[in-house]
Amino acid sequence: MKDVQFGELPFLKYDHEVETHVYSSDGTSFAVLSGGDIHVYGTSNWERAWILSGHSQRISSTAYSPNGDRIVSGSYNSTVRVWDVATGGCLYIFIGHTTGVYSVAYSPQGNVVASRGYDGTVRLWDLEAAGCRSIISGCGINNMAFAPKGDIIALGSDDGRVRLWDVSSGEFRSILIGHTTSGINSVAYSPQGDQIVSGGYDKSVRLWDVETGECRKTMTGHARTVTKVLFSPKGDYIASASYDNTVRLWSVGSGYSRKISEHHGRAVMGLKYSTKRNQVASYSKDSTIRLWDAETGICSRMLTGHSGVVYQISYSPQEDRLVSCSNDKTVRLWDVESGGCLHILTGHTMTVNGVVFSPQGDQIASASWDDTVRLWNVVTGECQRIFIGHNNNGVKVVTYSPQGNQVASAGGDGSVKLWDVETGDCQHTFTGHSDEIQRIVYSPNGNQIASASDDKTVRLWDVKMGVCTHIFIGHKRGVTRVVYSPQGHQVASASCDDKTVRLWDMESGECRHTLAGHEKDVDAIAYSPKGNLLASWSDSGEARLWDVATGECVWNFNHDGSTPSGGDYSSHPFVWMSPDVDSFMTGDGGGSVTRWDVVKEGAHHRVRMRWRSTNGRLTLMGACVQDVQGLSDLNKRLLKQRGGTGEPSLRLRETSSKVMTMASVVSKLKSSSFNKEALHSPSTSPAISLKGDSEQQTEQATYSGTLEN
């Protein structure tokens, strides 16, 4: 198992609470504050080099010198200490603060150390003279930052002002005034040193010209106090963090908020893909919609406004607009570029279950539990028509015909109704299902409609004649999903409760394949854009890919956490992406969004995680890993911490240069027989999963090797 990289390191455990931690600038050293001591590690092997002890009380702050050879620490015992990283010895002890030291910092040149105390003062310590150079007091200093040249230190104060102190002269150079509420929580210099950014209690981020002292931009958008601000390495963006649980990225040139790095706070209800923008929109129980760059996984927009669960969204044909509906009884129209809400469409008296754009993009159709379908004008936001005809059980789904001249709706009364968009007349009412209809879909050419019902059947309807042409019988429980293949020659159906997917031939009406293997409910199905693969997604978090021609399962993945359907079969957290590549997106009950790439290797398929909106954490239960051949001591520590025990039960031999991803490692390790052909394990095999518990991840774990008995 040589060169395995799990994308994670062992954790470092302490007897006392961990206060904070910091890397040296070159990344070779790492310091952790715990129990009044500083634990210093070399990052090549993560062995502890030193325990720096001497402060008689808890350490509040620490920082490396610019070249990483020294560490400065501040303590609640009112002292500042400077340590030698190579020897672990204490070089200086600075005494002067009358109460505890809150924070410390090195100047960029490494010749001055600044300390901020609870006594309201900032002290500058000269390392060459080994004494205090300046004492700054009288303005309730909350934070500080050195200029890149080290000649100025910026101080954020309780009075809402930023003061610039000249390190050489020991005098204030200027005072930046503009924040409307007392308290500056964070200040930072641009890499060039010509600008300062500040954030505080007034919820704003302000950009200042150092030379003139003028406020260049005031950036608003945070809903609560701003706690931290900083510049990007190039100085073209500003990042700000807030108590409103968001991190915003602002363009320095325009002052416009470009990104919000935050995954959903609750379960993801579903996903939609924008081909033109290479963008994925996710909607959630947390009442928000997030727009993700499909290539990088960066969240570029968060659309807020709904007060309830978002049940469905739809991109306009031009993909410059997005429409959403919610159990707050409203439909909202959004501008994708700016993230602004263009219209709030009100009129429904109950939860809005479905929403869709017309093929021309000039109209929106919405379906509600209030038994109505409404058509809305995209430009004006006015309701143009109200279709009434379903009886007392709500309209669950609505869709336009490919030509846009007709709207189909279905729901709890077991009927499908076709409405003329121009006249508002009901053209046909299809009856025959004996229970609720969960899904309807037009064929690609618009000549047929397929309907899936709780009566265990799928029916095909001739749109012009208004008659049922086929009844597909075979599911043991209610049918919750139905979809046409891209070419229109095949229909796939899924049953949530019988846990199977069936492929039906359009000409003969026969079931070509029954796809079985899901252990729990099947929540969603979707053909790949090329039509050669079918994906099925279970509410247990299990995803499977099927070869349409053979009916074989070519890949599966058990994701930690369930999807959030909860019986709402009109939406699901799965979507295929570009027609040019076999890639898809998934969402989960923890609020994460993940991109997967499918790679064809001979007769087999390999699925690789491209990125995920939360980090993956490796977890093992009952896997025997401690003596796996070629496994580094570092990874042994990791796997043992994650639950690996016992004697080795699998071997790896280095006979292949084939590179595989973490998803492949997980799939391989889960095999109980360890046969090269068997990639999926029964419940008795060692269980390994990825658990999301922090911010954005790009999966990079790879290994070279093959499995043998």
Side-chain angles (χ1 to χ4, degrees), residues 27 48 54 63 76 115 122 179 202 225 318 363 415 520 533 616 642 653 675:
R48 183 159 46 198
Y76 285 97
S115 60
V122 169
H179 282 282
D202 65 359
T225 296
Q318 298 78 20
Q363 199 175 66
S415 70
K520 293 187 179 181
L533 296 172
R642 292 298 181 230
R653 54 183 172 86
N675 188 303

PDB file of all heavy atoms in Angstrom, residues 27 48 54 63 76 115 122 179 202 225 318 363 415 520 533 616 642 653 675:
ATOM      1  N   GLY A  27       5.703  26.314   6.256  1.00  0.00           N
ATOM      2  CA  GLY A  27       4.917  25.099   6.418  1.00  0.00           C
ATOM      3  C   GLY A  27       5.648  23.919   7.020  1.00  0.00           C
ATOM      4  O   GLY A  27       5.093  22.829   7.121  1.00  0.00           O
ATOM      5  N   ARG A  48       6.368  15.303  17.582  1.00  0.00           N
ATOM      6  CA  ARG A  48       6.530  16.491  18.411  1.00  0.00           C
ATOM      7  C   ARG A  48       8.010  16.769  18.650  1.00  0.00           C
ATOM      8  O   ARG A  48       8.765  15.911  19.104  1.00  0.00           O
ATOM      9  CB  ARG A  48       5.803  16.319  19.736  1.00  0.00           C
ATOM     10  CG  ARG A  48       5.861  17.552  20.630  1.00  0.00           C
ATOM     11  CD  ARG A  48       4.757  17.549  21.657  1.00  0.00           C
ATOM     12  NE  ARG A  48       4.604  16.268  22.319  1.00  0.00           N
ATOM     13  CZ  ARG A  48       3.507  15.895  22.989  1.00  0.00           C
ATOM     14  NH1 ARG A  48       2.477  16.711  23.061  1.00  0.00           N
ATOM     15  NH2 ARG A  48       3.437  14.720  23.561  1.00  0.00           N
ATOM     16  N   GLY A  54       6.744  27.622  30.357  1.00  0.00           N
ATOM     17  CA  GLY A  54       7.325  28.735  31.085  1.00  0.00           C
ATOM     18  C   GLY A  54       6.285  29.730  31.547  1.00  0.00           C
ATOM     19  O   GLY A  54       6.409  30.302  32.635  1.00  0.00           O
ATOM     20  N   ALA A  63       2.576  33.387  17.519  1.00  0.00           N
ATOM     21  CA  ALA A  63       2.844  33.678  16.113  1.00  0.00           C
ATOM     22  C   ALA A  63       4.280  33.306  15.794  1.00  0.00           C
ATOM     23  O   ALA A  63       5.177  33.441  16.637  1.00  0.00           O
ATOM     24  CB  ALA A  63       2.611  35.161  15.813  1.00  0.00           C
ATOM     25  N   TYR A  76      -1.845  35.071  29.805  1.00  0.00           N
ATOM     26  CA  TYR A  76      -2.656  35.751  30.811  1.00  0.00           C
ATOM     27  C   TYR A  76      -1.841  36.117  32.058  1.00  0.00           C
ATOM     28  O   TYR A  76      -2.347  36.798  32.944  1.00  0.00           O
ATOM     29  CB  TYR A  76      -3.855  34.881  31.197  1.00  0.00           C
ATOM     30  CG  TYR A  76      -4.924  34.864  30.134  1.00  0.00           C
ATOM     31  CD1 TYR A  76      -4.980  33.831  29.208  1.00  0.00           C
ATOM     32  CD2 TYR A  76      -5.861  35.886  30.037  1.00  0.00           C
ATOM     33  CE1 TYR A  76      -5.943  33.814  28.218  1.00  0.00           C
ATOM     34  CE2 TYR A  76      -6.828  35.881  29.054  1.00  0.00           C
ATOM     35  CZ  TYR A  76      -6.864  34.844  28.143  1.00  0.00           C
ATOM     36  OH  TYR A  76      -7.817  34.837  27.162  1.00  0.00           O
ATOM     37  N   SER A 115       2.339  43.419  21.004  1.00  0.00           N
ATOM     38  CA  SER A 115       1.456  42.682  21.912  1.00  0.00           C
ATOM     39  C   SER A 115       0.300  43.577  22.329  1.00  0.00           C
ATOM     40  O   SER A 115       0.479  44.776  22.566  1.00  0.00           O
ATOM     41  CB  SER A 115       2.223  42.201  23.150  1.00  0.00           C
ATOM     42  OG  SER A 115       2.766  43.295  23.859  1.00  0.00           O
ATOM     43  N   VAL A 122      -1.273  48.641  23.499  1.00  0.00           N
ATOM     44  CA  VAL A 122      -0.463  47.861  22.573  1.00  0.00           C
ATOM     45  C   VAL A 122       0.986  48.239  22.825  1.00  0.00           C
ATOM     46  O   VAL A 122       1.333  49.433  22.901  1.00  0.00           O
ATOM     47  CB  VAL A 122      -0.842  48.148  21.102  1.00  0.00           C
ATOM     48  CG1 VAL A 122       0.185  47.537  20.160  1.00  0.00           C
ATOM     49  CG2 VAL A 122      -2.229  47.598  20.795  1.00  0.00           C
ATOM     50  N   HIS A 179     -16.930  54.102  10.137  1.00  0.00           N
ATOM     51  CA  HIS A 179     -17.843  53.090  10.682  1.00  0.00           C
ATOM     52  C   HIS A 179     -18.860  53.771  11.587  1.00  0.00           C
ATOM     53  O   HIS A 179     -18.525  54.666  12.370  1.00  0.00           O
ATOM     54  CB  HIS A 179     -17.064  52.034  11.461  1.00  0.00           C
ATOM     55  CG  HIS A 179     -16.368  51.029  10.588  1.00  0.00           C
ATOM     56  ND1 HIS A 179     -17.026  49.986   9.994  1.00  0.00           N
ATOM     57  CD2 HIS A 179     -15.070  50.938  10.205  1.00  0.00           C
ATOM     58  CE1 HIS A 179     -16.160  49.272   9.285  1.00  0.00           C
ATOM     59  NE2 HIS A 179     -14.969  49.836   9.397  1.00  0.00           N
ATOM     60  N   ASP A 202     -20.900  47.419  12.878  1.00  0.00           N
ATOM     61  CA  ASP A 202     -21.928  48.022  12.027  1.00  0.00           C
ATOM     62  C   ASP A 202     -22.260  47.158  10.812  1.00  0.00           C
ATOM     63  O   ASP A 202     -22.960  47.584   9.908  1.00  0.00           O
ATOM     64  CB  ASP A 202     -21.521  49.430  11.591  1.00  0.00           C
ATOM     65  CG  ASP A 202     -20.290  49.440  10.695  1.00  0.00           C
ATOM     66  OD1 ASP A 202     -19.731  48.357  10.430  1.00  0.00           O
ATOM     67  OD2 ASP A 202     -19.892  50.539  10.257  1.00  0.00           O
ATOM     68  N   THR A 225     -22.660  41.228  12.894  1.00  0.00           N
ATOM     69  CA  THR A 225     -21.320  41.778  13.108  1.00  0.00           C
ATOM     70  C   THR A 225     -20.270  41.073  12.254  1.00  0.00           C
ATOM     71  O   THR A 225     -20.262  39.842  12.156  1.00  0.00           O
ATOM     72  CB  THR A 225     -20.940  41.646  14.593  1.00  0.00           C
ATOM     73  OG1 THR A 225     -21.833  42.435  15.376  1.00  0.00           O
ATOM     74  CG2 THR A 225     -19.518  42.112  14.840  1.00  0.00           C
ATOM     75  N   GLN A 318     -32.843  30.346 -21.394  1.00  0.00           N
ATOM     76  CA  GLN A 318     -31.650  31.165 -21.626  1.00  0.00           C
ATOM     77  C   GLN A 318     -30.656  31.038 -20.467  1.00  0.00           C
ATOM     78  O   GLN A 318     -29.521  31.503 -20.569  1.00  0.00           O
ATOM     79  CB  GLN A 318     -32.044  32.633 -21.801  1.00  0.00           C
ATOM     80  CG  GLN A 318     -32.951  32.902 -22.993  1.00  0.00           C
ATOM     81  CD  GLN A 318     -34.400  32.509 -22.733  1.00  0.00           C
ATOM     82  OE1 GLN A 318     -34.828  32.382 -21.582  1.00  0.00           O
ATOM     83  NE2 GLN A 318     -35.155  32.292 -23.805  1.00  0.00           N
ATOM     84  N   GLN A 363     -42.767  32.506 -19.800  1.00  0.00           N
ATOM     85  CA  GLN A 363     -43.871  32.168 -18.904  1.00  0.00           C
ATOM     86  C   GLN A 363     -43.403  31.139 -17.880  1.00  0.00           C
ATOM     87  O   GLN A 363     -42.474  30.359 -18.120  1.00  0.00           O
ATOM     88  CB  GLN A 363     -45.036  31.613 -19.732  1.00  0.00           C
ATOM     89  CG  GLN A 363     -46.376  31.627 -19.057  1.00  0.00           C
ATOM     90  CD  GLN A 363     -47.459  31.170 -20.039  1.00  0.00           C
ATOM     91  OE1 GLN A 363     -47.474  30.021 -20.465  1.00  0.00           O
ATOM     92  NE2 GLN A 363     -48.359  32.087 -20.408  1.00  0.00           N
ATOM     93  N   SER A 415     -55.531  11.827 -11.843  1.00  0.00           N
ATOM     94  CA  SER A 415     -55.755  12.194 -13.246  1.00  0.00           C
ATOM     95  C   SER A 415     -54.614  13.048 -13.776  1.00  0.00           C
ATOM     96  O   SER A 415     -53.902  13.712 -13.019  1.00  0.00           O
ATOM     97  CB  SER A 415     -57.072  12.958 -13.392  1.00  0.00           C
ATOM     98  OG  SER A 415     -56.974  14.254 -12.816  1.00  0.00           O
ATOM     99  N   LYS A 520     -32.465   0.240   0.366  1.00  0.00           N
ATOM    100  CA  LYS A 520     -33.579   1.040   0.870  1.00  0.00           C
ATOM    101  C   LYS A 520     -34.270   1.741  -0.295  1.00  0.00           C
ATOM    102  O   LYS A 520     -33.975   1.469  -1.455  1.00  0.00           O
ATOM    103  CB  LYS A 520     -33.076   2.038   1.911  1.00  0.00           C
ATOM    104  CG  LYS A 520     -32.561   1.361   3.184  1.00  0.00           C
ATOM    105  CD  LYS A 520     -32.219   2.375   4.267  1.00  0.00           C
ATOM    106  CE  LYS A 520     -31.749   1.669   5.518  1.00  0.00           C
ATOM    107  NZ  LYS A 520     -31.419   2.633   6.604  1.00  0.00           N
ATOM    108  N   LEU A 533     -25.965   5.275 -19.656  1.00  0.00           N
ATOM    109  CA  LEU A 533     -25.969   4.970 -18.237  1.00  0.00           C
ATOM    110  C   LEU A 533     -27.248   5.480 -17.597  1.00  0.00           C
ATOM    111  O   LEU A 533     -27.835   6.460 -18.058  1.00  0.00           O
ATOM    112  CB  LEU A 533     -24.769   5.615 -17.534  1.00  0.00           C
ATOM    113  CG  LEU A 533     -23.364   5.161 -17.934  1.00  0.00           C
ATOM    114  CD1 LEU A 533     -22.325   6.045 -17.273  1.00  0.00           C
ATOM    115  CD2 LEU A 533     -23.132   3.700 -17.585  1.00  0.00           C
ATOM    116  N   GLY A 616     -14.200  15.523   3.432  1.00  0.00           N
ATOM    117  CA  GLY A 616     -14.440  14.128   3.744  1.00  0.00           C
ATOM    118  C   GLY A 616     -13.597  13.694   4.931  1.00  0.00           C
ATOM    119  O   GLY A 616     -12.433  14.036   5.019  1.00  0.00           O
ATOM    120  N   ARG A 642      -9.151   6.022  13.372  1.00  0.00           N
ATOM    121  CA  ARG A 642     -10.479   5.956  12.758  1.00  0.00           C
ATOM    122  C   ARG A 642     -11.167   4.620  12.998  1.00  0.00           C
ATOM    123  O   ARG A 642     -12.229   4.374  12.467  1.00  0.00           O
ATOM    124  CB  ARG A 642     -10.377   6.220  11.249  1.00  0.00           C
ATOM    125  CG  ARG A 642      -9.981   7.650  10.910  1.00  0.00           C
ATOM    126  CD  ARG A 642     -11.020   8.622  11.427  1.00  0.00           C
ATOM    127  NE  ARG A 642     -10.695   9.982  11.094  1.00  0.00           N
ATOM    128  CZ  ARG A 642     -10.679  10.981  11.944  1.00  0.00           C
ATOM    129  NH1 ARG A 642     -10.977  10.760  13.202  1.00  0.00           N
ATOM    130  NH2 ARG A 642     -10.391  12.199  11.566  1.00  0.00           N
ATOM    131  N   ARG A 653      -0.227  -5.523  -3.499  1.00  0.00           N
ATOM    132  CA  ARG A 653       1.081  -5.691  -4.116  1.00  0.00           C
ATOM    133  C   ARG A 653       1.233  -4.650  -5.214  1.00  0.00           C
ATOM    134  O   ARG A 653       0.308  -4.365  -5.962  1.00  0.00           O
ATOM    135  CB  ARG A 653       1.250  -7.095  -4.679  1.00  0.00           C
ATOM    136  CG  ARG A 653       0.150  -7.536  -5.640  1.00  0.00           C
ATOM    137  CD  ARG A 653       0.361  -8.981  -6.082  1.00  0.00           C
ATOM    138  NE  ARG A 653      -0.770  -9.473  -6.839  1.00  0.00           N
ATOM    139  CZ  ARG A 653      -0.913  -9.300  -8.147  1.00  0.00           C
ATOM    140  NH1 ARG A 653      -0.021  -8.628  -8.835  1.00  0.00           N
ATOM    141  NH2 ARG A 653      -1.968  -9.788  -8.773  1.00  0.00           N
ATOM    142  N   ASN A 675     -11.907 -10.083  -3.957  1.00  0.00           N
ATOM    143  CA  ASN A 675     -11.760 -10.513  -5.338  1.00  0.00           C
ATOM    144  C   ASN A 675     -11.660  -9.302  -6.226  1.00  0.00           C
ATOM    145  O   ASN A 675     -12.342  -8.321  -6.037  1.00  0.00           O
ATOM    146  CB  ASN A 675     -12.990 -11.354  -5.726  1.00  0.00           C
ATOM    147  CG  ASN A 675     -12.846 -12.012  -7.077  1.00  0.00           C
ATOM    148  OD1 ASN A 675     -12.627 -11.325  -8.069  1.00  0.00           O
ATOM    149  ND2 ASN A 675     -12.982 -13.330  -7.100  1.00  0.00           N
TER     150      ASN A 675
END
